[in-house]
Amino acid sequence: MRKWCVHLLFIALLIPLLLVPVDVAYGYDDPVYYVNIDSEITKGLYEYIERSVKEAEENGAELIIFEMDTPGGLVDVAVDIGNLLSSTELKTVAYIHPDAISAGAYIALNMDYIYMSPNANMGAAAVITSDGNAADQKAQSYWNSKMRDAAERAGKDPIYGLAMIDASIDLPEYNAPEGELLTLTASEAVEVGYADGIVENRAELLQIFGYSEGNVQNVDKTFAESLAEFITNPIVVPILLSIASLGLILELYSPGFGIPGYMGIVSLLLFFYGHYVAGLAGYESLILFILGVVLIVVELFIPGGIVGFIGLGSIFLSILFSGQNIVQMAISLLFALTVAIVAMVILMKFFGKKMTLFSKIVLQDSTSTEKGYVSHPTRTDLIGKIGTTITPLRPAGTIRIENERIDAVTEGGFIESGKEIKVVEAEGVRVVVREIQ
């Protein structure tokens, strides 16, 4: 028990060290910065783009190019990225190579210039929920206004931007009749004014703005940013939490503190680390988590249940507050808890496992007769023996068997003193006799 607690406390105290922010300063002095948007749009991606823009501004860059190949992602993150790009004094260029779909199309519209490779596409930007269904009317209306605003600020006809998110707009000449979302090819985007041109490669794009490869500084993602981008993915979050819950549940059924426990703790550490780097989890979430761990450890020494439940609640709250969307995080947490409950049922029902940890704080043994625990010895040796009543049995009284006085009861009737009796039953201190006729 003590060793297990030391492990848990050590890991809990290690979390603040992992969450210490690391400032990255490169000190480059190139006029063109080149950034890759080559994944889903998550909060981790926002942190990467924000750092890239900040570095370009601080180092006197004249132009920042974003090469885009994204299937889209979180709408609220796309809006934040759009606000970031539209507020910078840098010239911003979107190089769509080959796709800027969904929220990616919105981000591209917030840049000063859009260039596309010959086989590139942009569009199909309808809002969908995490389960793949269309968003409600309120969310659709919000997204419509954002797309219209981005197109108008860029000096583009908003009808095409709205057709990317509203299937009711009829544009059959661009393969988007009513009921279909608009996705523009490179040539179509140039035709409707949504792209400034088509380029074969990066060198040709640089040449348009009067630069060469020697003027370019590539901004790569740090390991922390790549990890944060991966961990904050809506698909990865429930998987990571499920691994954590499954590992901790398996640890409850294992002696000592081994691989399952470390698997669960490491998964939680990765979860908080990724969300912290992405700017989603603050120190308040970390404090709640550590408090929950401490309360659970205290519960091991002060059984009662209340402290432990408060600790679990604190951990659950810390996870909920670490996400950008509490509802989505609650769904992920519910999924993880379901996995944990199923694992417990399987272990208990099919493998007959008992929680090793709980057995140390809860009395599992019972003082049954089968296990040799009795409050008074049962006189089974008296069964069948003959004796004499010393006092009347009404139905209780005293009998004598082989010069031993014994308290006894009848089967329900009355037996006078001096009568011959036979012992028919013995259980604990209760000796039952019957008169011999």
Side-chain angles (χ1 to χ4, degrees):
M1 172 70 71
R2 184 176 300 173
K3 183 179 179 181
W4 190 90
C5 296
V6 170
H7 280 300
L8 200 56
L9 284 174
F10 173 76
I11 294 172
L13 294 175
L14 184 64
I15 296 175
L17 299 179
L18 293 175
L19 299 185
V20 173
V22 179
D23 294 325
V24 181
Y26 293 99
Y28 299 119
D29 194 22
D30 297 286
V32 180
Y33 271 58
Y34 204 88
V35 181
N36 281 293
I37 301 178
D38 55 1
S39 60
E40 289 189 30
I41 297 168
T42 64
K43 186 62 177 177
L45 179 65
Y46 173 84
E47 298 298 319
Y48 164 58
I49 294 176
E50 183 183 41
R51 176 176 65 83
S52 301
V53 171
K54 182 179 179 181
E55 285 182 18
E57 291 174 339
E58 291 177 348
N59 291 290
E62 300 171 0
L63 182 73
I64 183 167
I65 299 174
F66 295 89
E67 183 174 321
M68 301 186 68
D69 181 18
T70 175
L74 301 177
V75 167
D76 46 0
V77 176
V79 171
D80 291 340
I81 293 175
N83 293 335
L84 174 66
L85 296 176
S86 60
S87 62
T88 182
E89 297 295 328
L90 295 168
K91 288 182 181 179
T92 56
V93 178
Y95 174 34
I96 301 176
H97 178 59
D99 296 310
I101 305 301
S102 190
Y106 172 80
I107 292 175
L109 287 174
N110 280 275
M111 301 195 205
D112 299 322
Y113 304 94
I114 298 177
Y115 285 85
M116 302 174 70
S117 61
N119 62 336
N121 299 279
M122 68 179 298
V127 185
I128 59 174
T129 59
S130 58
D131 56 4
N133 297 319
D136 57 30
Q137 187 175 359
K138 182 178 179 180
Q140 292 282 9
S141 176
Y142 170 79
W143 189 228
N144 284 9
S145 67
K146 285 297 181 181
M147 185 66 81
R148 181 189 297 108
D149 178 64
E152 290 176 346
R153 282 189 288 105
K156 307 179 189 302
D157 188 345
I159 188 64
Y160 300 104
L162 292 175
M164 293 178 183
I165 60 179
D166 187 352
S168 65
I169 298 177
D170 187 23
L171 293 174
E173 64 273 24
Y174 295 108
N175 295 317
E178 186 175 354
E180 298 287 339
L181 295 174
L182 175 64
T183 298
L184 295 172
T185 63
S187 58
E188 290 171 342
V190 172
E191 181 181 339
V192 301
Y194 267 54
D196 297 284
I198 300 174
V199 295
E200 291 289 340
N201 49 48
R202 165 170 148 169
E204 185 178 337
L205 176 64
L206 290 170
Q207 190 176 8
I208 291 175
F209 292 95
Y211 299 107
S212 65
E213 288 289 346
N215 303 120
V216 175
Q217 173 56 53
N218 294 306
V219 183
D220 298 322
K221 295 176 184 176
T222 65
F223 172 77
E225 288 168 342
S226 298
L227 183 62
E229 187 176 348
F230 174 76
I231 289 174
T232 55
N233 188 299
I235 297 176
V236 175
V237 169
I239 296 175
L240 196 63
L241 291 177
S242 296
I243 293 174
S245 62
L246 186 59
L248 294 176
I249 286 297
L250 290 175
E251 185 59 39
L252 294 178
Y253 290 92
S254 305
F257 194 87
I259 294 177
Y262 282 113
M263 180 178 69
I265 293 297
V266 168
S267 297
L268 286 175
L269 283 175
L270 287 174
F271 170 82
F272 281 104
Y273 181 71
H275 283 75
Y276 177 81
V277 172
L280 294 172
Y283 283 109
E284 65 280 357
S285 297
L286 175 62
I287 292 172
L288 275 174
F289 178 73
I290 295 177
L291 177 62
V293 173
V294 171
L295 290 176
I296 291 176
V297 172
V298 171
E299 174 66 25
L300 300 179
F301 297 97
I302 311 176
I306 297 178
V307 175
F309 278 114
I310 294 176
L312 285 175
S314 180
I315 291 176
F316 290 158
L317 285 177
S318 69
I319 293 174
L320 290 175
F321 292 157
S322 296
Q324 190 169 18
N325 188 316
I326 291 182
V327 174
Q328 184 176 349
M329 194 61 65
I331 294 174
S332 299
L333 187 58
L334 182 61
F335 179 82
L337 291 176
T338 302
V339 170
I341 293 172
V342 171
M344 288 178 63
V345 172
I346 292 175
L347 287 171
M348 294 175 66
K349 186 174 181 63
F350 296 100
F351 295 96
K353 293 285 189 178
K354 294 183 179 180
M355 291 188 179
T356 303
L357 174 62
F358 287 175
S359 66
K360 297 178 180 179
I361 58 176
V362 177
L363 181 62
Q364 300 290 333
D365 296 327
S366 60
T367 55
S368 62
T369 302
E370 291 77 7
K371 295 183 179 181
Y373 296 96
V374 292
S375 59
H376 191 280
T378 299
R379 297 297 303 273
T380 56
D381 60 301
L382 297 176
I383 297 177
K385 289 189 175 183
I386 306 299
T388 305
T389 58
I390 298 175
T391 66
L393 305 185
R394 305 174 183 270
T398 305
I399 64 174
R400 185 189 302 276
I401 297 178
E402 297 177 353
N403 297 321
E404 180 183 359
R405 294 172 62 93
I406 301 170
D407 292 328
V409 295
T410 69
E411 293 177 303
F414 171 76
I415 302 177
E416 296 179 354
S417 61
K419 296 293 185 179
E420 194 174 32
I421 50 87
K422 178 180 180 181
V423 177
V424 295
E425 183 181 346
E427 182 178 353
V429 296
R430 184 170 179 268
V431 178
V432 182
V433 299
R434 178 183 302 159
E435 183 178 1
I436 296 177
Q437 298 297 333

